[in-house]
Amino acid sequence: MPLLLGATGVGKTLLLKRLQKINAQDSGAELGDPPATLPTVGTNLSDIIVDKKKVTVREMGGCMAPIWPSYYEDFDSVIFVIDAANPFQISSSCIQLLEVLSAPALELATVLILFNKIDLPCPVSLLEMKSLFRLDGIISCAKQSITVLEMSARSGQGLRDVLAWLQFAQRR
């Protein structure tokens, strides 16, 4: 079961709603306007159909970061979302990511790092994000298998790649 983490306002809830909508329609249909969301306080469980199997994703609100580690034991995959359009949040997101990756309970987890909101004006580019996060170094030192993707939960760009990763993660 995947654990969905990230700071407040990075788009975790919208990501889940959009993934559910993609699964509820045929591949050629439009996603339409994004639904309204509220910041998650606590946790949410959302079911997504991946490869004809139900996958339950536990979303943890960003304000819950101090207690995220108490949930790590139950998960074999982590989706960590970062707001690529908010340069003021990058350093705190990097610290949170390093804390997640260094947790002993998650050392065998499969990790997906998502740079969301790439459709907004002036997002930090993937190349810049990789440099700011020193992702090459993190990936080379991490015990986890790490995948990095860009996406926009709002426009739908990259959502099918997220579903493909979920399919891969469920096979492990």
Side-chain angles (χ1 to χ4, degrees):
M1 177 176 0
L3 182 60
L4 179 59
L5 303 173
T8 301
V10 296
K12 299 179 298 291
T13 303
L14 183 57
L15 168 64
L16 287 175
K17 287 185 176 195
R18 297 301 249 180
L19 289 174
Q20 288 172 325
K21 185 158 186 175
I22 284 177
N23 281 302
Q25 64 192 44
D26 65 37
S27 60
E30 291 290 323
L31 276 175
D33 291 332
T37 60
L38 295 171
T40 299
V41 177
T43 71
N44 283 332
L45 294 174
S46 298
D47 293 330
I48 298 171
I49 304 301
V50 177
D51 202 23
K52 299 181 183 178
K53 294 179 188 170
K54 180 175 75 167
V55 175
T56 302
V57 177
R58 178 177 295 270
E59 173 193 2
M60 301 285 300
C63 63
M64 304 289 290
I67 66 165
W68 289 351
S70 62
Y71 286 84
Y72 292 167
E73 293 291 331
D74 300 329
F75 296 91
D76 55 9
S77 58
V78 175
I79 301 169
F80 192 87
V81 184
I82 298 161
D83 183 344
N86 185 350
F88 302 106
Q89 202 175 55
I90 290 172
S91 61
S92 62
S93 289
C94 186
I95 291 167
Q96 286 178 326
L97 175 63
L98 291 171
E99 288 173 351
V100 167
L101 294 175
S102 65
L106 294 175
E107 70 181 25
L108 298 177
T110 304
V111 177
L112 174 61
I113 300 171
L114 287 176
F115 291 109
N116 188 24
K117 302 187 183 183
I118 60 169
D119 61 317
L120 294 180
C122 303
V124 179
S125 74
L126 183 58
L127 185 61
E128 290 171 312
M129 282 292 210
K130 283 183 173 183
S131 176
L132 289 168
F133 274 77
R134 302 190 136 207
L135 267 180
D136 291 339
I138 290 172
I139 291 170
S140 68
C141 293
K143 295 179 180 177
Q144 298 90 345
S145 168
I146 299 175
T147 302
V148 178
L149 296 173
E150 288 182 296
M151 58 154 287
S152 168
R154 184 174 180 74
S155 73
Q157 181 182 349
L159 290 180
R160 298 218 179 266
D161 295 331
V162 175
L163 283 174
W165 181 87
L166 280 168
Q167 184 176 2
F168 162 77
Q170 295 311 301
R171 290 186 182 156
R172 287 191 59 201

